[in-house]
Amino acid sequence: FTFFDSACALYPYFRECAKKGALYREEPDVLFALLRMDGKLAEQRMLRATGGVNTHKGAIFSMGLCCAALGQLPREQWGDPAAVLDRCGVLAQGLVEQDYRRLTPETACTAGETLYLRHGVTGVRGQAAEGFPAVRTVGLPTLEEGLAQGLSWNDAGCKALLALMGTAEDTNLMARGGLRGQRQAAEEATAQLRRFPDWEGLDRMDQDFISWNLSPGGSADLLALCYMICFLKEEAARANMGDLGPGEEGSL
């Protein structure tokens, strides 16, 4: 229920991101600065709703950026993953350089900043600036493949999550287990993907991660984007077939 409380508290923020995207189509720098301010307020709102628990900090960034991209695009392009992800990249262009150019060991105050200084890991900033390549080339194709195979949304998502864990830089895993922990998690995820669906094996992996204090939160944020884009594609397909009911189109 903590996640439900957080999601409900953040809904107005995501809607506002889409509105600002529409209002500042020609001013990407101004838009990004406003999104950052709104994101900080949204994080405070999340923490109040959850009693201080970080449930959606990563999603505040990546999903907020995606909503702003949707606000900038014409409605008929919402079902085009390449258009949406390309627009995310435009909005986040130069973000890594902007945020890290003056960073020093003395000023680094987050795990992500420390990982960048020590190992050159750009994390979600790098993903965003490149138009979320892990979503485009790994997560979304795997999710859609699973659905085409007849898997449920949940089971296809499990498969996509394993694929993302095996390929993407997950700074949550690195922060908790270092590079060694992240590599160990990636190897385990890749092995489980080869054996998919091995639900007993996945349960064992889940318990192992708990005992190792590892959490693939970065991969989970990318998976959330995969779901959102897949839902948008599905809605666009339904609209083209005339299957949307009154008031459904543009319900974001």
Side-chain angles (χ1 to χ4, degrees), residues 31-192:
L31 172 61
F32 197 84
L34 293 173
L35 292 176
R36 280 206 144 159
M37 292 171 55
D38 287 345
K40 291 177 181 179
L41 294 174
E43 185 176 334
Q44 295 173 12
R45 196 178 302 127
M46 171 195 73
L47 294 174
R48 286 196 299 269
T50 64
V53 178
N54 171 18
T55 48
H56 290 103
K57 185 174 181 178
I60 288 172
F61 173 80
S62 55
M63 298 291 280
L65 188 66
C66 186
C67 287
L70 292 171
Q72 292 208 320
L73 292 173
R75 183 67 179 82
E76 57 270 19
Q77 289 188 336
W78 284 17
D80 181 353
V84 176
L85 294 173
D86 286 346
R87 180 62 60 169
C88 288
V90 169
L91 293 179
Q93 192 172 28
L95 179 59
V96 174
E97 295 79 7
Q98 175 186 323
D99 282 4
Y100 290 154
R101 63 173 175 262
R102 294 189 180 90
L103 192 63
T104 67
E106 291 73 30
T107 59
C109 57
T110 68
E113 291 171 347
T114 301
L115 285 167
Y116 176 78
L117 287 175
R118 291 180 179 175
H119 308 293
V121 174
T122 58
V124 71
R125 288 177 175 86
Q127 278 286 325
E130 295 176 18
F132 294 104
V135 171
R136 190 190 306 250
T137 64
V138 179
L140 184 60
T142 306
L143 179 64
E144 293 182 325
E145 177 187 66
L147 294 170
Q149 292 169 344
L151 296 177
S152 67
W153 282 100
N154 181 79
D155 294 354
C158 288
K159 188 175 184 180
L161 180 61
L162 290 172
L164 288 166
M165 289 170 60
T167 56
E169 290 180 339
D170 192 318
T171 53
N172 287 61
L173 288 170
M174 293 179 189
R176 290 179 177 233
L179 291 182
R180 180 179 179 183
Q182 194 272 334
R183 283 195 296 267
Q184 183 179 8
E187 290 171 1
E188 180 65 21
T190 300
Q192 288 294 337

Side-chain angles (χ1 to χ4, degrees), residues 219-248:
S219 302
D221 289 333
L222 294 174
L223 177 64
L225 272 182
C226 294
Y227 271 121
M228 181 173 183
I229 290 172
C230 201
F231 292 153
L232 288 167
K233 279 186 68 176
E234 189 176 71
E235 185 181 80
R238 289 169 57 207
N240 289 335
M241 292 186 296
D243 289 344
L244 285 178
E248 285 189 74

